[in-house]
Amino acid sequence: DDAGAVREISRVLAPGGILVASVPAYQFLWGPHDVALHHHRRYAAAQFSRLLKDAGLLVEKQTYLLCSLFPLAATVRLATRGKEVENAAAALPKVPPLANRALIGFQAAELAIARKVSLPFGLTVLTVARKPLPIHVRSRLPAVEERLAVPATAVAAASRSSCESG
């Protein structure tokens, strides 16, 4: 019950509190990797944004991540559709050290771009949302919005976590 889970997150989040969420992107990419990681669905950015907004959260930043890996991953996922094995396992192939460093470099460059503009597609949806402050608090404390700005480190930390967890 993703809607129920997000409503509960919104309920327990302090007013002005920040939620940083990373979810797998695009249901058409569903495969054994998702089963192995206990996913229940994949989301388009707009779909996940609507889920958060319906729970009363304000989406402040949303972008796809792993954009550079999307064409390869989508090709493999679509080419192997219907050939799924019963004992699904996370697809974490061995990567030679030089290729791994190059991929990490791509990820760092992509993250720098994603901090400035939202990427149009990717394997993951990263969203930063906030629980609004009550109106009576906002009207008395105009400087609070500046103090509650989303730190860039929150986006970077969420991106690292997304990359590390697959």
Side-chain angles (χ1 to χ4, degrees):
D1 178 12
D2 55 352
V6 173
R7 279 192 308 272
E8 180 62 9
I9 290 168
S10 180
R11 185 186 72 75
V12 300
L13 193 61
I18 297 171
L19 168 69
V20 179
S22 173
V23 296
Y26 301 119
Q27 189 63 32
F28 75 88
L29 292 177
W30 184 266
H33 186 80
D34 296 294
V35 174
L37 294 176
H38 303 285
H39 294 158
H40 292 277
R41 66 194 53 79
R42 300 177 73 92
Y43 297 87
Q47 176 188 17
F48 191 61
S49 180
R50 172 59 40 212
L51 190 68
L52 296 171
K53 288 176 183 176
D54 288 349
L57 298 173
L58 303 173
V59 173
E60 295 193 350
K61 170 72 176 172
Q62 187 172 59
T63 186
Y64 286 98
L65 292 177
L66 302 172
C67 183
S68 56
L69 294 178
F70 180 83
L72 176 62
T75 300
V76 169
R77 195 63 62 87
L78 295 173
T80 59
R81 174 134 315 142
K83 300 174 187 169
E84 287 88 7
V85 294
E86 274 187 40
N87 298 323
L92 299 173
K94 294 279 186 196
V95 178
L98 183 60
N100 194 48
R101 282 194 297 279
L103 289 170
I104 290 169
F106 280 126
Q107 281 301 112
E110 183 177 288
L111 181 58
I113 294 167
R115 284 185 175 133
K116 306 271 188 236
V117 298
S118 294
L119 300 175
F121 59 87
L123 298 175
T124 298
V125 177
L126 174 68
T127 306
V128 179
R130 180 185 312 276
K131 184 172 182 174
L133 292 169
I135 292 173
H136 70 279
V137 173
R138 282 184 287 183
S139 63
R140 288 188 315 203
L141 301 171
V144 76
E145 291 298 326
E146 184 175 300
R147 284 189 287 122
L148 294 176
V150 176
T153 53
V155 175
S159 177
R160 278 194 302 277
S161 174
S162 173
C163 294
E164 292 165 1
S165 67

